[in-house]
């Protein structure tokens, strides 16, 4: 024990000497002997602390406190140690400080106790976190036992609670922000939802309200108490909005209590006052405390609600008495508001609503004020916002606020009854019914429903509701409305008397009743107006008129009275000026005055003030009074939509006009004029099918309603005809125009439209190839033009159409002899200065004298020239008719230019010789197009036309014109094509190809572009490619494209001559033949095309038309030769005669054929014409003459002709065959011997010639010459295997071999030989019917006959070239009755079918 004390002394001495290692050593030695040694642990802890061995030091101190818990020495050591460590050991410091402070309190050492507390709180404030500082402050609270001991030495609790509240506020704010930031990133999280959830979690568990309450309880400072009362209310209010609905009731009571306390204390905290006002669920404003309202205005003059209240209390709708001013210099806010004008008050209240968007009371008051001002749209908008805010407030606070919501619903419903009535009546009705379900006696709801029924013309039901409303709440306003309903229901006398009874209760000086008085006077006037509808009564100024005037004297802004006065001035006083002013005033005051608006729109429309019509109609549309509510008896009003449609139609706004007319028709489906307007809008927007349906519907209404109701209805027929014309249905359009003209003969627009439709029909038929129809349309157009010229000679379109109809004859020259010269002559001459036709005479030498001179000739060329001159004169007259209109003048010059160009083409062709005479029309055309360009330089068609006519005259100008046209419009395929042709003329192949390619890309269906490409290919020698391009151009072109027709036809002719095998049947010749026939009708002077057409017809077997066509060609060539005496013409004439001879031979006209053949030989006898063409002509003539003489029985003459043919062809084997057949047919031995010699010589020179071999074989069979038969039999067998034989040659060969096998069977019998020969034929040609037919004739088995029929059908056109006779024999070979009938139908001239049918 003594050793331990000694060690303790040494340790203490070492500590004093700062020898901490020695102190540690001795303290440790003591503890080994006595672990419960208090001082040893203290000394050890202190030494370790000095060496910064904090953890070991803490253990030593803790051990010491365990030995002696009430000894402060060890606790002081711990506190010293913790102070050195700072924030790291602040929590353990708290426990040690509390223990040590209590030890000092126990020994009543206040100074040391306070020191411990102060040090701890200072360290926590400086080094600890907010929670640790909060923990240190809690030692100073009254709830801690140290507070009573140290009271007066530590801070006042209010300060401590204030510091704690600041810490908690900051902690909650940071927690809320942190949680929101984390949770908002979760999948599907919404910011508003996350915010509510986080605030609910934080605010529900918050200590702030308790802290605020402690501060309020402890503080002695009045301002501090009010401050924290505000904070307490705000926190409680925020918590109320965050917590679930189930917990809101108790919290709401607390909020209301706190707010009411602040209001009672008249503390100006805005939230408290708003809660007291906004949450006061009252039915009417009179239930609010006016003193509270005035105090609110006084405390918060700049608040939005205060502004609204200020305006309300000073307005005429306020339910509270005005505050009496004690002195003249009263500066109260209400006194100021009372002195405001109505405009300033409205501005003040409007600003107030904008400044307080969340105030339900402000919107409720503002809605009522808007209703008072009849601003129903603003009232409805304000009420809707107030209703949404009330619903939100009820949801957040848990208060039902049903009275407030009902009051706002009544405001909204009342506004919707009047605003754009009756659009919103269903919604208003549902609002009123909702209020009545809760408050059956609510007069405002009853009146609202009554007004709705009144608007729907359900007057009985309306009166029922109004009577109920008056029973619950007697009101002069309701009484007046009920009386008016009686009047509207037809009882004008009772209604008028009851309205008169109401007048004494109404005063014009009272702002609240002056409008009602004006309305009542107006209604009394309307009752008088309808009681006696005689003109004298209505004109009487002491009756209805006087009431309307009195109504305006009561209220100058009552719109219906102005409308009634306008009707009075219009219909009875005949003062249009005053009437218009009244209507304008009525419509300015109220867009619901539909009658005034309609009268205004009509007056504006009469003066073409379309902008004003649009403004009036649009405003009526926006008023919402047009469409009746569902189930209403009231008819809709469609005229505003129709008026808008007319304005938009006038302004060419077709999409919107369609919408407007459709809207009008939805309201009034039987509105005839709306259907017409809709159809017109569809037409101008290019929707012709829809336009047709609209006009047809209009015409259906015409039939239903009759002319007595609709009046003049010709316009719909006219417009439908226009639509048909746009659709290309010209016949229907023309019929429609004729129907209108039958009703209105001198309707200029219809006459012109009819004339133009006939001309367009003519051009259309021309393009389709219906030339007769085109001429018929032109002739009808001439009659219309003659009729029109009788009363309207100065019409540009008239003379333009006359020029066009004359031009049609120049395109269809086959009808040129039908040109009505006398009608055109009189039409052009009538009532016009003939000198005016000398326009451009210095260029075209064309005037009235030239036109009359052209009529003297009777030839086709002269008539064609006359047609061209007539077209030019008509276009010149059109120019003179439109000198006042630059745009029409430009078009007139353009048309005249094309007329001059057409005259040039008709007389000199597309490319003339270049002499001054041949270029005169072309030069005049250039002048015309230049003049058109001067008037309208931006028209690409004018530049294109100038390029066309200057291509031959001036290539530079032409190129510039085409380029300029493409600069204006590069999407014109025609211009690109013309540019390509220009480059082709100039020899620039690449640029021409580029231009044609561009034209094809712009419009692949532009046939001329493909024609140009074909011409280019032909120029480059690509014949096949050119032919394909010409074919494609022909397929997509119209029937009037002469150059395409010509190029296609001649390319096919060249192909026929170069590749005869390519045309296996006549069907392949039909298209070229059609092209040539159209070409021959379009241009009768094109003899080459007519001649070629006849040759194609000859190929197809149309002999009658061939002969007729060739006769016309011969006549024309003969006339041309007599004029020109050209050797070329003579050669063509000879060729035509030879072709005519061949055609007449085919017809069986042997005399005519002989004459023409001999004429052809005579014409071609001149050696100067030597050449391939002449030789072919003479050969054709010789052959025709030889065959003719053969058929006439003149064998010698026939032989002579064939010999001539042999000489012309240098002994052609085919000619030798023909000659031999003729010699054999003469039946003389010498002639037959000559025939044999000729054939033998021919076969020696032309071995393998089929015709010669067959003839020799046939002669040998006839002569029974076995040696010759044996010699040629092998040749015949070899011919069987040749593929170059035609089907006819194969058939002849088979027949010959069959005959040889029959006559000379050899070792076999006759039947076996024939069967063997037929089998050989079948084996060599199994796909041909001849072998099978031969086999069928040798056996009774039906299978060969059926196979023959099958192969024959497969070889029939268009799959083969089998003739109708051969196919008929194949059908007859089956020996069946129905096949025999088919055989007869196919070839009734064949006997086989008739024989088979007779045996069935």
């Amino acid at each position: 024990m003594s050793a331990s004390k000694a060690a303790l002394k040494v340790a203490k001495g070492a500590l004093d000497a700062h020898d901490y290692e020695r102190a540690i050593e001795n303290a440790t030695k003591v503890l080994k002997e006595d672990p419960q040694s208090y001082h040893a642990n203290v000394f050890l802890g202190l030494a370790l602390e000095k060496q910064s061995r904090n953890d070991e030091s803490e253990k030593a101190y803790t051990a010491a406190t365990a030995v002696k818990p009430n000894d402060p020495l060890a606790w002081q050591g711990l506190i010293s140690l913790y102070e050195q460590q700072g924030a790291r050991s602040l929590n353990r410091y708290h426990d040690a400080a509390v223990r040590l402070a209590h030890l000092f309190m126990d020994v009543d050492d206040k100074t040391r106790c306070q020191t411990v507390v102060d040090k701890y709180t200072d360290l926590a404030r400086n080094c600890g976190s907010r929670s640790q500082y909060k923990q240190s402050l809690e030692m100073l609270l009254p709830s801690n036992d140290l507070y009573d001991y140290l009271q007066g030495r530590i801070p006042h609790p209010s300060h401590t609670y204030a510091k704690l509240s600041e810490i908690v506020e900051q902690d909650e704010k940071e927690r809320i922000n942190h949680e929101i930031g984390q949770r908002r990133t979760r999948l599907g999280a919404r910011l508003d939802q996350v915010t509510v959830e986080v605030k609910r979690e934080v605010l529900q568990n918050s200590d702030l309200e308790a802290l605020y309450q402690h501060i309020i309880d402890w503080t002695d400072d009045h301002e501090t108490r009010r401050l924290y009362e505000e904070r307490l209310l705000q926190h409680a209010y925020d918590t109320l909005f965050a917590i679930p609905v189930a917990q809101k009731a108790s919290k709401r009571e607390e909020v209301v209590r706190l707010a009411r306390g602040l209001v009672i204390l008249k503390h100006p905290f805005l939230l408290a006052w708003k809660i007291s006002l906004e949450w006061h669920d009252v039915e009417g404003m009179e239930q609010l405390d006016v003193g509270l309202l005035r105090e609110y205005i006084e405390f918060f003059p700049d608040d939005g609600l205060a502004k609204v209240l200020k305006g309300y209390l000073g307005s005429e709708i306020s339910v509270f008495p005005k505050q009496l001013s004690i002195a003249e210099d009263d500066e109260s806010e209400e006194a100021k508001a009372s002195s405001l004008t109505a405009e300033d008050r409205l501005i003040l209240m409007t600003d107030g609503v904008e400044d307080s968007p969340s105030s339900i009371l402000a919107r409720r008051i503002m809605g009522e004020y808007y209703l008072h001002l009849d601003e129903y749209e603003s009232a409805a908008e304000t009420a809707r916002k107030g209703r949404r805010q009330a619903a939100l407030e009820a949801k957040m606070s848990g208060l039902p606020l049903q009275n407030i919501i009902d009051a706002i619903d009544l405001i909204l419903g009342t506004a919707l009854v009047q605003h754009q009535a009756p659009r919103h009546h269903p919604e208003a009705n549902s609002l009123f019914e909702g209020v009545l379900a809760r408050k059956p006696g609510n007069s405002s709801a009853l009146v609202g429903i009554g007004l709705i029924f009144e608007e729907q013309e359900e007057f009985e039901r309306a009166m029922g509701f109004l009577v109920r409303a008056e029973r619950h709440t007697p009101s002069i306003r309701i009484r007046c409305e009920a009386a008016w309903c009686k009047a509207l229901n037809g009882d004008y006398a009772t209604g008028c008397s009851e309205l008169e009874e109401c007048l004494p209760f109404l005063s014009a000086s009272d702002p609240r009743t002056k409008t009602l008085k004006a309305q009542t006077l107006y209604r009394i006037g309307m009752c008088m107006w309808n009681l006696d509808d005689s003109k004298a009564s209505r004109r009487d100024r002491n009756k209805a008129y006087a009431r309307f005037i009195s109504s305006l004297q009561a209220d100058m802004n009552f719109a219906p009275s102005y409308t009634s006065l306008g009707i009075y001035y219009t219909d009875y006083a005949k003062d249009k000026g005053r009437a218009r002013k009244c209507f304008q005033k009525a419509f300015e005051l109220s867009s619901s005055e539909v009658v005034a608006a309609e009268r205004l729109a009509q007056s504006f429309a009469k003066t073409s003030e379309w902008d004003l019509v649009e403004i009036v109609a649009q405003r009526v549309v926006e008023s919402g009074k047009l469409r009746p509510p569902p189930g209403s008896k009231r008819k809709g009003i469609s005229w505003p939509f129709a008026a808008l449609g007319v304005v938009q139609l006038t302004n060419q706004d077709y999409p919107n006009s369609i919408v407007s007319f459709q809207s009008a028709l939805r309201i009034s489906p039987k509105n005839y004029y709306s259907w017409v307007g809709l159809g017109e809008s569809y037409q101008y927007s290019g929707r012709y099918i829809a336009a047709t349906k609209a006009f047809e519907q209009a015409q259906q209404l015409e039939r239903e309603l009759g002319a007595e109701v609709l009046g003049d209805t010709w316009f719909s027929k006219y417009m439908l005809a226009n639509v048909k014309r746009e659709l290309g249905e010209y016949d229907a359009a023309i019929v429609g125009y004729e129907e209108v003209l039958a009703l209105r003969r001198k309707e200029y627009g219809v006459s012109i439209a009819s004339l133009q439709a006939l001309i367009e029909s003519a051009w259309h038929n021309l393009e389709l190839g219906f030339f007769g129809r085109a001429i018929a349309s032109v002739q009808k157009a001439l009659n219309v033009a003659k009729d029109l010229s009788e009363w309207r000679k100065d019409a540009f379109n008239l003379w333009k159409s006359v020029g066009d109809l004359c031009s049609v004859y120049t395109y269809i020259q086959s009808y040129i002899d039908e040109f009505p010269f006398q009608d055109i002559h009189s039409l052009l001459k009538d009532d016009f200065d003939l000198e005016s036709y000398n326009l451009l005479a210095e260029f075209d030498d064309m005037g009235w004298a030239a036109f009359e001179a052209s009529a003297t000739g009777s030839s086709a060329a002269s008539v064609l020239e006359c047609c061209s001159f007539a077209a030019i004169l008509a276009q010149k007259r059109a120019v003179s008719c439109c000198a006042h209109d630059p745009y029409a003048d430009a078009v007139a010059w353009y048309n005249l230019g094309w007329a001059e160009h057409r005259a040039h083409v008709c007389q000199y062709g597309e490319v003339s010789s270049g002499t001054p005479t041949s270029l005169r029309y072309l030069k005049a055309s250039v002048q015309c197009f230049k003049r058109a360009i001067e008037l309208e330089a931006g028209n690409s068609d004018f530049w294109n036309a100038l390029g066309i006519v200057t291509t031959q005259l001036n290539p530079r100008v032409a190129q510039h014109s085409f380029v300029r046209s493409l600069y204006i419009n590069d999407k014109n395929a025609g211009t690109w094509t013309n540019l390509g042709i220009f480059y082709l003329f100039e020899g620039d192949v690449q640029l021409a190809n580029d231009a044609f390619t561009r034209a094809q890309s712009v419009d692949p269906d532009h046939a001329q572009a493909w024609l140009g490409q074909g011409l280019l290919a032909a120029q480059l020698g690509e014949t096949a490619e050119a032919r394909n391009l010409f074919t494609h151009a022909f397929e997509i072109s119209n029937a009037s494209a002469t150059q395409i027709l010509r190029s296609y036809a001649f390319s096919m002719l060249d192909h026929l001559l170069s590749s005869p095998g390519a045309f296996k049947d006549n069907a392949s010749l039909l298209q070229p033949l059609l092209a040539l026939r159209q070409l021959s009708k379009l241009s009768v002077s094109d003899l080459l095309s007519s001649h070629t057409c006849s040759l194609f017809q000859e190929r197809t077997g149309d002999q009658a038309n061939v002969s007729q066509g060739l006769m016309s060609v011969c006549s024309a060539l003969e006339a041309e030769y007599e004029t020109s005496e050209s050797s070329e013409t003579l050669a063509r004439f000879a060729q035509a005669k030879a072709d005519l001879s061949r055609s007449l031979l085919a017809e069986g006209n042997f005399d005519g054929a002989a004459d023409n053949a001999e004429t052809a030989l005579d014409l071609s006898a001149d050696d100067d014409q030597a050449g391939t063409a002449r030789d072919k002509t003479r050969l054709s003539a010789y052959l025709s003459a030889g065959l003719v003489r053969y058929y006439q029985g003149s064998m010698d003459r026939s032989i002579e002709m064939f010999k001539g043919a042999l000489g012309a062809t240098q002994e052609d084997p085919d000619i030798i065959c023909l000659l031999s057949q003729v010699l054999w047919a003469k039946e003389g031995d010498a002639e037959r011997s000559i025939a044999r010699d000729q054939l033998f010589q021919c076969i020696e020179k032309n071995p393998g010639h089929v015709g010669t071999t067959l003839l020799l074989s046939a002669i040998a069979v006839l002569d029974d010459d076995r040696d010759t038969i044996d010699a040629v039999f092998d040749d015949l067998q070899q011919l069987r295997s040749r593929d170059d034989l035609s089907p006819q040659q194969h058939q002849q060969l088979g027949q010959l071999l069959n005959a040889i096998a029959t006559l000379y069977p050899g070792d076999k019998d006759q039947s076996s030989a024939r069967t063997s020969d037929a089998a050989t034929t079948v084996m060599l040609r199994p796909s041909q019917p001849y072998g099978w037919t031969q086999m069928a004739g040798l056996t009774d088995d039906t299978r060969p006959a059926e196979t023959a029929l099958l192969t024959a059908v497969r070889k029939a056109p268009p799959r083969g070239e089998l003739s109708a006779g051969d196919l008929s024999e194949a059908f007859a070979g089956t020996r069946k009755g129905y096949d025999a009938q088919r055989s007869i139908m196919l070839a009734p001239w064949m006997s086989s079918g008739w024989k088979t049918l007779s045996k069935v």
Side-chain angles (χ1 to χ4, degrees), residues 423-632:
R423 177 186 294 179
H424 304 293
H425 281 183
E427 181 184 357
N429 190 65
S430 66
L431 291 173
F432 291 137
E433 288 179 351
V435 174
L436 288 175
R438 293 180 291 274
K439 302 170 184 177
N442 189 286
S443 61
S444 297
L446 291 169
V447 170
I449 295 178
L451 292 175
I452 291 174
F453 283 126
E454 180 183 326
E455 181 69 27
Q456 295 175 1
E457 299 182 2
E458 301 264 353
F459 302 119
E460 291 288 347
R461 300 178 67 182
M463 283 189 289
F465 279 94
L466 291 172
V467 168
R468 284 175 56 190
E470 188 179 8
R471 189 182 306 124
H472 286 88
T473 306
S475 170
I476 191 65
R477 187 180 299 274
I478 300 174
R479 186 178 174 187
C480 289
E481 199 65 43
W484 178 238
C485 280
K486 289 182 181 179
L488 293 176
N489 199 33
D491 190 359
Y492 292 108
T494 304
C496 183
S497 63
E498 291 184 1
L499 288 170
E500 291 278 6
E501 293 173 2
C502 295
L503 275 180
F505 301 98
L506 303 175
S507 174
S509 59
D510 188 349
R512 292 175 293 184
T513 61
K514 71 172 187 177
T515 301
L516 181 58
K517 181 171 184 179
Q519 184 185 63
T520 304
L521 287 166
Y522 160 74
R523 289 176 173 179
I524 292 172
M526 290 304 300
C527 290
M528 293 178 175
W529 186 272
N530 291 308
L531 275 172
D532 186 358
D533 59 356
S534 64
K535 186 172 292 187
S537 176
R538 291 188 172 181
R539 190 182 290 123
D540 189 351
R541 290 178 176 261
N542 295 319
K543 292 186 177 181
Y545 175 81
R547 298 305 187 276
F548 297 147
I549 294 296
S550 299
S551 172
L552 293 178
Q553 289 172 350
D555 186 358
M556 291 297 295
N557 294 324
F558 190 70
S561 296
Y562 285 106
T563 302
S564 299
L565 282 174
I567 295 173
Y568 172 83
Y569 285 127
T570 302
D571 298 341
Y572 300 99
K574 305 302 180 182
D575 190 341
K576 293 183 178 180
R578 285 189 177 181
R580 186 164 182 171
K581 290 179 181 178
C582 288
F583 290 137
Q584 286 179 338
K585 183 64 175 180
F587 192 60
E588 287 174 5
L589 292 172
S590 174
S591 60
S592 299
E593 292 301 309
V594 180
V595 175
E598 184 176 10
R599 298 283 186 124
L600 273 179
Q602 290 174 352
S603 64
F604 290 143
K606 289 177 181 178
T607 56
S608 299
E609 298 177 78
W610 299 113
D611 293 341
L612 296 177
V613 174
E614 182 178 16
I615 292 171
V616 171
Q618 187 62 46
R619 191 176 173 203
V620 176
V621 168
E622 293 172 354
S623 71
K625 283 190 166 291
L626 304 185
R627 293 185 176 89
S632 173

Side-chain angles (χ1 to χ4, degrees), residues 703-772:
R703 292 187 289 272
E704 292 177 2
L705 301 178
E708 297 80 7
V709 177
L710 298 177
D712 209 348
T713 58
W714 64 271
F715 187 72
S716 64
K717 296 182 176 64
Y718 167 65
M719 293 304 297
L720 180 59
N722 286 342
V723 173
K724 296 293 186 182
R725 174 182 163 195
E726 294 290 348
L727 289 172
E729 300 177 17
Y730 296 107
D731 293 340
I734 292 167
V735 170
Y737 291 134
E738 290 174 350
E739 290 178 358
V740 178
L741 289 173
L743 300 174
R744 301 175 66 91
R745 178 177 174 272
K746 292 190 177 182
E747 188 66 42
Y748 169 71
V750 181
S751 298
I752 284 294
S754 176
L755 179 60
Q756 291 177 332
L758 287 165
I759 297 299
E760 290 172 9
S761 176
W763 290 119
H764 181 66
N765 287 319
L766 173 60
E767 292 176 354
L768 294 178
F770 301 138
F771 304 131

Side-chain angles (χ1 to χ4, degrees), residues 820-833:
F821 171 78
Q822 293 299 332
D823 292 336
I824 297 295
H825 180 273
S826 60
L827 192 63
L828 292 173
K829 185 178 181 181
D830 186 27
D831 195 18
F832 189 69
D833 182 10

Side-chain angles (χ1 to χ4, degrees), residues 801-854:
S801 299
V802 171
D804 287 343
L805 69 86
C806 294
S807 296
V808 170
Y809 282 98
T810 68
Y811 283 94
I812 311 176
Q813 297 178 10
S814 57
Y815 290 87
I816 198 72
D817 55 335
E818 297 182 15
F819 179 68
F821 171 78
Q822 293 299 332
D823 292 336
I824 297 295
H825 180 273
S826 60
L827 192 63
L828 292 173
K829 185 178 181 181
D830 186 27
D831 195 18
F832 189 69
D833 182 10
L834 300 181
E835 291 298 323
S836 299
Y837 288 130
N838 293 328
L839 181 67
L840 298 178
E842 65 273 18
F843 295 100
D844 60 5
D845 195 20
M846 178 64 223
W848 184 255
F851 171 62
E852 290 188 326
S854 66

